[in-house]
Amino acid sequence: MEENPQTEDRGDRWSRSDWWGVVLDAPDVGVLAHFYSELRGWPIWKQDSEGAALDLGEGVAYLSIQRNPDYVRPVWPGVPDRQQMMVHLDFEVTDLEEAVAHAVGLGAELPEHQPQDDVRVLLDPAGHPFCLYT
């Protein structure tokens, strides 16, 4: 199988041009950027009042936060005719109980509805659902 020239090793990650990422809307960029930075240990690469980007440390992926003054917090679990989640992030952890406690300590909410025993759905400070799993 031939290597795709878009994904072959290009050396220094900062000189590559095939970056990709996930962008989350939030009413307050700083709160959400600092939450995910502390939750995952990712440094904030750049930040201002309109947006932030977190450096995941390897590869060419990033997590970005953009300010949206009209942001509407999703409802979890989903309810008809209410704002639904559009995307959620999944993070594998080694100790689920410890990871949940850490996330809650940083400002996440643990909803009552949990659909799986080995996964915990939490809400970040802007209300975006994310999952911790083993």
Side-chain angles (χ1 to χ4, degrees), residues 11-12 20 29-31 43-45 49-50 77-78 83 90 95 107 117 123-124:
D12 178 51
W20 68 274
V29 169
V31 168
I44 297 172
W45 182 67
S49 63
E50 294 302 308
Q83 178 65 43
D90 284 344
D95 184 321
D117 291 337
L123 307 176
D124 70 21

Side-chain angles (χ1 to χ4, degrees), residues 23-25 71-72 74-75 83-89 127-129:
V23 180
L24 299 174
D25 284 6
Y71 173 76
V72 176
V75 175
Q83 178 65 43
Q84 303 291 311
M85 74 172 163
M86 300 295 288
V87 67
H88 73 273
L89 303 173
H128 300 285

Side-chain angles (χ1 to χ4, degrees), residues 60-126:
V60 290
Y62 60 88
L63 177 64
S64 185
I65 314 299
Q66 70 181 10
R67 188 176 83 79
N68 179 348
D70 299 320
Y71 173 76
V72 176
R73 187 180 174 106
V75 175
W76 172 260
V79 176
D81 299 322
R82 299 280 306 275
Q83 178 65 43
Q84 303 291 311
M85 74 172 163
M86 300 295 288
V87 67
H88 73 273
L89 303 173
D90 284 344
F91 301 111
E92 183 178 13
V93 298
T94 55
D95 184 321
L96 188 56
E97 188 175 317
E98 180 181 299
V100 168
H102 177 64
V104 169
L106 294 171
E109 296 174 41
L110 181 63
E112 186 176 322
H113 177 67
Q114 296 294 323
Q116 296 170 279
D117 291 337
D118 59 345
V119 176
R120 288 297 169 271
V121 177
L122 293 105
L123 307 176
D124 70 21

